[in-house]
Amino acid sequence: MSTAERPAGWAGTPVTGAELTERYQGAVMNTFGVPARVLARGEGSTVWDVDGNRYLDLLGGIAVNSLGHAHPAIVEAVTTQLQTLGHVSNFFISEPQVRLAEKLLSLLRADGRVFFANSGAEANEAAFKAARRTGRTKVVATEGSFHGRTMGALALTSKAQYREPFEPLPGHVTFVPYGDVAALEAAVDDSVAAFVVEPIQGEAGVVDAPEGYLRAAREITSRHGALLWVDEVQTGVGRTGDWFAHTAAGIVPDLVTLAKGLGGGIPIGAMIALGDAATLLGPGQHGTTFGGNPVATAAALAVIETIESEGLLAHVVARGDQLADGLERHARVEKVTGRGLLRGVVLTEPRSADVVTAAYDAGLIVNAPTPDRLRLAPALVLTEDEAAHAVATISAVLDEVLA
Ligand SMILES: *Cc1c(COP(=O)(O)O)cnc(C)c1O
């Protein structure tokens, strides 16, 4: 790489991607396979690898970098908070934690209580424990679901390949086909503690729920005194163009879990219990050392306040439609699923892994959640020009790979 190719401000040591990848394999546990690139720096929706190559990031750390890379609002909030008070434990209160809890409840327009965790899996573990406090133990989940990798969250995750090596998992979980109201009706009775569901299944490849599904789920769970637990870890905090994906269905759930985009890159999760569910967990029944940490909650407040001040919800809808309309014109695209800036691109052939590799070479980061689907979950600040570039580049890559 010539010095001229290095991004402005590039201050990395002269180490190559190949060298770091070899060292990674010697020191980092092999749970993710061998990653394709070594990234060095990011700004907005652009990232650079250590070899100086530049990419338009359409994955955003898997729906995490809501404001893109190095957004000044997050940098400022985190820096100021860390200089003031970085961590206190839950023996003490800090103001950002209280403000974030109040803010989340006001965005949900409901009374409730928030438990702060550090990841999506942990937010779901908290909800799982809350569900057990109903006095019932059965939980109904959906086929194709993903709720995390810890033992409890894994028990709710349907993929056999993830579950089977770790069985026995916490019990009394049954699975129903996603979107099937009759199957849900048959599975939920007065012995069920909760139905856990993603408003759009993210890891399954951005699978939409049929119209009316969440409303039916609300009605069925209410009728049987079961909790409706909506996992918004991937869909929440503006990703779909609404603050939460379930609000489009006009329902009020009992439990909502959040993580990914909430902290804009700083690890944080939240389990929000609404109405009567707010008191299911009491003193001593759950806890965490880091949860509600001032730095993480300050970052999340910065994310939410920036979405508000920059009018990003409407922007997300416009950019999402731009991506979907542009990509649906391609002959190799069967359809584009999802809403806002969480999109699945369904290909006419099961070649998504090859498309991802070619996209990297073309300077674009996308992901292949299933053999025939690409997933796009870019920063909510993706610009119109960037979205146009994304459509043009993905189209060119599809021409090349699926010629
Ligand atoms: C990513 C994800 C999780 C798990 O979150 P982690 O932070 O990886 O533990 C849970 N639920 C959904 C819907 C997710 O997309």
Side-chain angles (χ1 to χ4, degrees):
M1 177 184 64
S2 74
T3 343
E5 284 167 330
R6 289 180 181 174
W10 193 83
T13 46
V15 62
T16 64
E19 185 197 326
L20 267 175
T21 300
E22 200 182 313
R23 284 166 52 193
Y24 173 101
Q25 289 175 272
V28 179
M29 196 171 290
N30 183 20
T31 59
F32 300 101
V34 184
R37 294 291 191 280
V38 181
L39 300 184
R41 194 174 78 88
E43 194 180 315
S45 294
T46 303
V47 291
W48 288 266
D49 68 21
V50 290
D51 301 310
N53 301 301
R54 171 195 172 119
Y55 306 84
L56 178 61
D57 181 6
L58 295 179
L59 187 59
I62 318 184
V64 165
N65 302 311
S66 1
L67 305 185
H69 299 273
H71 193 287
I74 299 182
V75 173
E76 160 71 23
V78 165
T79 306
T80 304
Q81 188 58 51
L82 194 53
Q83 285 168 340
T84 310
L85 187 67
H87 176 80
V88 294
S89 89
N90 283 299
F91 288 122
F92 304 97
I93 295 169
S94 70
E95 188 184 344
Q97 174 187 44
V98 177
R99 286 181 48 220
L100 180 61
E102 289 170 347
K103 188 76 200 176
L104 289 170
L105 292 169
S106 84
L107 294 177
L108 280 159
R109 298 169 201 272
D111 290 332
R113 295 288 185 274
V114 181
F115 178 85
F116 287 114
N118 311 290
S119 67
E122 280 180 68
N124 283 326
E125 293 290 340
F128 203 166
K129 286 180 71 176
R132 286 280 176 98
R133 294 298 303 157
T134 59
R136 304 177 183 182
T137 54
K138 290 184 192 163
V139 176
V140 177
T142 62
E143 290 170 10
S145 64
F146 183 85
H147 299 291
R149 304 291 204 129
T150 54
M151 294 300 252
L154 191 56
L156 310 164
T157 293
S158 77
K159 204 174 187 173
Q161 183 197 330
Y162 293 167
R163 304 166 51 86
E164 279 168 5
F166 304 100
E167 288 174 344
L169 295 165
H172 294 193
V173 181
T174 53
F175 294 90
V176 292
Y178 186 67
D180 184 335
V181 174
L184 185 62
E185 182 83 64
V188 176
D189 60 23
D190 290 356
S191 70
V192 167
F195 172 51
V196 54
V197 65
E198 296 157 83
I200 297 171
Q201 288 186 326
E203 295 306 299
V206 192
V207 175
D208 294 303
E211 174 67 30
Y213 185 55
L214 287 182
R215 273 196 304 284
R218 175 69 287 179
E219 195 278 313
I220 292 165
T221 48
S222 293
R223 182 151 36 89
H224 293 286
L227 302 170
L228 177 59
W229 162 6
V230 179
D231 181 343
E232 293 250 19
V233 167
Q234 190 153 162
T235 51
V237 201
R239 169 86 15 217
T240 63
D242 288 309
W243 282 111
F244 307 99
H246 74 263
T247 46
I251 56 149
V252 180
D254 302 292
L255 305 174
V256 180
T257 49
L258 302 175
K260 292 197 167 87
L262 179 59
I266 300 294
I268 182 170
M271 188 276 276
I272 308 166
L274 302 174
D276 292 344
T279 52
L280 284 170
L281 291 174
Q285 289 178 341
H286 200 41
T288 160
T289 300
F290 290 120
N293 168 288
V295 174
T297 49
L301 279 167
V303 168
I304 292 171
E305 282 161 9
T306 304
I307 292 173
E308 283 177 331
S309 66
E310 294 185 7
L312 290 180
L313 295 183
H315 177 83
V316 163
V317 172
R319 296 291 75 78
D321 288 348
Q322 185 187 351
L323 288 175
D325 294 347
L327 290 169
E328 259 169 357
R329 285 200 206 106
H330 198 281
R332 294 304 199 170
V333 173
E334 202 173 287
K335 63 175 175 177
V336 176
T337 60
R339 289 207 306 269
L341 287 175
L342 180 61
R343 295 290 183 163
V345 181
V346 185
L347 307 177
T348 54
E349 286 173 55
R351 301 273 310 276
S352 64
D354 298 332
V355 172
V356 166
T357 305
Y360 288 159
D361 292 339
L364 205 72
I365 296 179
V366 295
N367 146 269
T370 70
D372 70 345
R373 285 179 186 235
L374 303 175
R375 171 175 45 182
L376 311 181
L380 311 186
V381 296
L382 187 79
T383 67
E384 188 173 352
D385 284 352
E386 286 167 342
H389 179 73
V391 170
T393 310
I394 293 172
S395 300
V397 168
L398 293 178
D399 288 342
E400 175 198 321
V401 177
L402 304 177

